[in-house]
Amino acid sequence: MHGNKLQEIMTYSEAIDFLFTRLPMYQRSGSAAYKDNLDNTWRLDEWFGHPHRAFKSIHVAGTNGKGSVSHMLASVLQSAGYRTGLYTSPHLVDFRERIRIDGGMIPQEKVVDFVMQNQAVITEIAPSFFEMTVAMAFDYFSRERVEVAVIETGLGGRLDSTNIVDPVLSIITNIGLDHTALLGPTLPLIAAEKAGIIKKDTPVVIGRRQQETRPVFEEKARAMKAPLLMADEALSVLLMNQGAHALSVRVLKNGHVFMDDLVLPLPGNYQLENLRTVLASVEELVRQGFEISEMHLRSGMAGVVANTGLRGRWQILSSQPLTICDTGHNEDGMRMIVEQIKALEFNCLHFVLGMVSDKEVDPILALLPTHARYYFTRANIPRSLDPELLQKKALVHGLSGQIFANVPEAWRAAQKNAGDNDLIFIGGSTFVVAEVV
């Protein structure tokens, strides 16, 4: 028995090793893994017999919030009784977090089977890690007969491997400056890439109205004859109560109370916008015939963490001292984090910070509080920024602190220095957060 178990584990780690080392991976190597066409994706799709046609899909893009929106929506659909697939990226701890059905991660043996049975085609087509993972997800969802899948884009939209789906609904959360080297240096250019998920005659929900990007979405929607819905035009979400572990909100529709005391176990203020986007999306799904009641909505929101395994979103790691991590890693995301930190009461702020080397870090560093004590470090991936360089860049913005070789060391030092009434924040990169959750 033990022998077999060990063999399984070995085989799984070999399969994962094959995926991680043989295929170019954006998380590790950056833009070298980014493809500017969908050729490989179409070839893989054909090889697997077009599995994405076997289930309904909801396609989610955007700079920030797309992960939270995808998890919330999947949780609501699960609560409504639909067999629900969820594809997200990147993973925090376990590769299998990317591919879930009704919250459960794809089993190890399914990953092993997929890699073993398709080694020849993987070698022949030589896809990127992301292209292969999307093919694995769609194949798994099809075989397991999911009814609906929530599919989060990886990077951009137009050229993203997920963009072969023909969804019943497209969602674009918001547009911020991120991955500018690949998507373009301005908001309208980035919006044009994200707008690539808008499909013919398919409704699209825009999470945040932005002056610079609205014309881009309107023009694309017109060209595709796609009904365009602005989430904030019909719905308002008001914060009524904020606890350490949850938010309670009132939802207004056309100025009237639509739902009161809706509880979300994600205490980040930025979730209000994501929640509004999800509610607008659910309204559209109901119009299309999905059977989702207020009770499903309430239980889906309340159970989002338990239902989908969502982590790293304003997550409280301990209470004395209060220790919080968050995956927000671009200008827009960090601005929201800093606002939220300002709203907390504490004596001293200890900030464990690591970033990646292929991002514009100065605009982000410019937002950070100068009164904090910084612990500059790096995540355990090749793309991470050397902490010495990070310290130098931070100093220009009046941020000072020490350098640590890795995230656990930096966190230990912060814990040692922090008093009971201090705050420790850990972030700057998804990969830093992955090492503490």
Side-chain angles (χ1 to χ4, degrees):
M1 177 72 189
H2 283 300
N4 286 348
K5 186 80 179 148
L6 193 64
Q7 187 56 42
E8 246 176 64
I9 291 167
M10 278 301 297
T11 313
Y12 174 68
S13 55
E14 282 165 13
I16 286 298
D17 193 52
F18 176 84
L19 290 172
F20 282 5
T21 55
R22 286 285 301 275
L23 309 176
M25 184 179 178
Y26 183 81
Q27 268 70 39
R28 299 181 66 78
S29 54
S31 55
Y34 180 68
K35 301 283 174 69
D36 63 358
N37 61 64
L38 292 175
D39 297 355
N40 284 351
T41 304
W42 287 118
R43 283 180 71 191
L44 287 167
D45 185 55
E46 200 164 319
W47 167 264
F48 289 108
H50 314 291
H52 67 121
R53 295 177 188 169
F55 49 86
K56 288 180 175 175
S57 56
I58 296 159
H59 203 190
V60 186
T63 302
N64 289 309
K66 62 181 187 287
S68 294
V69 163
S70 297
H71 282 79
M72 284 185 213
L73 206 44
S75 184
V76 169
L77 288 162
Q78 271 169 245
S79 294
Y82 291 95
R83 186 160 169 77
T84 306
L86 176 61
Y87 176 77
T88 57
S89 63
H91 61 273
L92 281 177
V93 179
D94 186 332
F95 164 79
R96 298 178 307 130
E97 293 167 33
R98 293 168 179 254
I99 304 171
R100 296 177 183 268
I101 295 177
D102 288 344
M105 295 190 287
I106 182 172
Q108 290 190 356
E109 58 271 23
K110 299 282 186 191
V111 176
V112 173
D113 290 349
F114 182 89
V115 173
M116 282 171 59
Q117 287 166 16
N118 299 295
Q119 255 172 318
V121 75
I122 294 171
T123 307
E124 184 198 330
I125 294 177
S128 71
F129 172 84
F130 191 80
E131 289 166 338
M132 193 70 258
T133 311
V134 170
M136 186 190 295
F138 291 177
D139 181 60
Y140 177 59
F141 292 162
S142 166
R143 287 174 188 274
E144 295 294 320
R145 294 188 161 81
V146 306
E147 295 171 270
V148 58
V150 181
I151 310 290
E152 181 197 5
T153 58
L155 202 160
R158 182 175 65 95
L159 298 171
D160 191 76
S161 306
T162 61
N163 202 29
I164 60 169
V165 296
D166 192 10
V168 296
L169 175 65
S170 307
I171 302 168
I172 301 171
T173 56
N174 54 52
I175 303 298
L177 294 173
D178 200 7
H179 302 295
T180 48
L182 298 172
L183 303 179
T186 67
L187 294 181
L189 282 171
I190 294 172
E193 287 297 317
K194 310 272 185 195
I197 73 161
I198 298 175
K199 302 289 193 321
K200 197 164 177 13
D201 301 322
T202 303
V204 55
V205 170
I206 307 295
R208 185 197 299 171
R209 254 184 307 177
Q210 292 166 270
Q211 210 179 338
E212 288 177 80
T213 60
R214 186 172 181 159
V216 177
F217 295 137
E218 286 177 338
E219 193 181 321
K220 178 72 174 179
R222 239 190 332 268
M224 302 306 282
K225 298 188 169 59
L228 184 71
L229 313 158
M230 295 282 175
D232 57 355
E233 279 181 0
L235 296 168
S236 312
V237 175
L238 309 177
L239 180 61
M240 302 309 285
N241 195 0
Q242 182 161 31
H245 298 275
L247 300 174
S248 168
V249 304
R250 173 176 292 161
V251 184
L252 302 180
K253 186 177 173 185
N254 301 321
H256 301 286
V257 176
F258 174 57
M259 214 184 291
D260 226 344
D261 197 29
L262 177 63
V263 176
L264 182 67
L266 300 168
N269 279 351
Y270 56 80
Q271 296 295 2
L272 297 175
E273 180 181 304
N274 295 332
L275 182 55
R276 187 180 61 204
T277 305
V278 171
L279 292 170
S281 302
V282 168
E283 290 241 286
E284 174 51 37
L285 292 174
V286 169
R287 261 197 296 274
Q288 290 187 26
F290 280 77
E291 292 182 14
I292 304 168
S293 68
E294 182 178 323
M295 190 186 76
H296 297 142
L297 253 176
R298 287 184 182 279
S299 64
M301 289 305 172
V304 63
V305 175
N307 287 351
T308 67
L310 180 62
R311 290 191 287 181
R313 305 325 196 270
W314 202 256
Q315 186 175 337
I316 294 172
L317 300 171
S318 76
S319 52
Q320 265 197 322
L322 180 58
T323 305
I324 296 169
C325 68
D326 194 282
T327 53
H329 58 273
N330 49 42
E331 211 178 322
D332 194 32
M334 194 54 83
R335 187 175 287 111
M336 290 177 177
I337 286 167
V338 171
E339 284 301 309
Q340 186 104 17
I341 288 173
K342 279 182 192 161
L344 297 174
E345 284 183 28
F346 52 85
N347 289 344
C348 178
L349 173 59
H350 303 262
F351 207 121
V352 176
L353 182 69
M355 301 176 93
V356 290
S357 57
D358 52 5
K359 266 200 204 309
E360 269 290 321
V361 298
D362 285 300
I364 297 166
L365 294 171
L367 297 169
L368 299 183
T370 51
H371 58 75
R373 182 171 181 176
Y374 286 87
Y375 301 75
F376 300 108
T377 187
R378 68 181 305 161
N380 189 21
I381 59 157
R383 261 178 80 209
S384 59
L385 182 61
D386 184 314
E388 284 189 32
L389 191 56
L390 180 57
Q391 185 193 41
K392 269 191 197 137
K393 286 176 178 283
L395 205 53
V396 176
H397 298 278
L399 314 176
S400 60
Q402 291 167 279
I403 292 166
F404 297 88
N406 56 53
V407 175
E409 262 183 49
W411 189 11
R412 274 196 297 274
Q415 285 172 312
K416 199 171 139 221
N417 294 334
D420 280 356
N421 297 319
D422 287 357
L423 171 65
I424 299 174
F425 181 84
I426 303 169
S429 154
T430 303
F431 309 106
V432 168
V433 172
E435 294 186 36
V436 300
V437 293

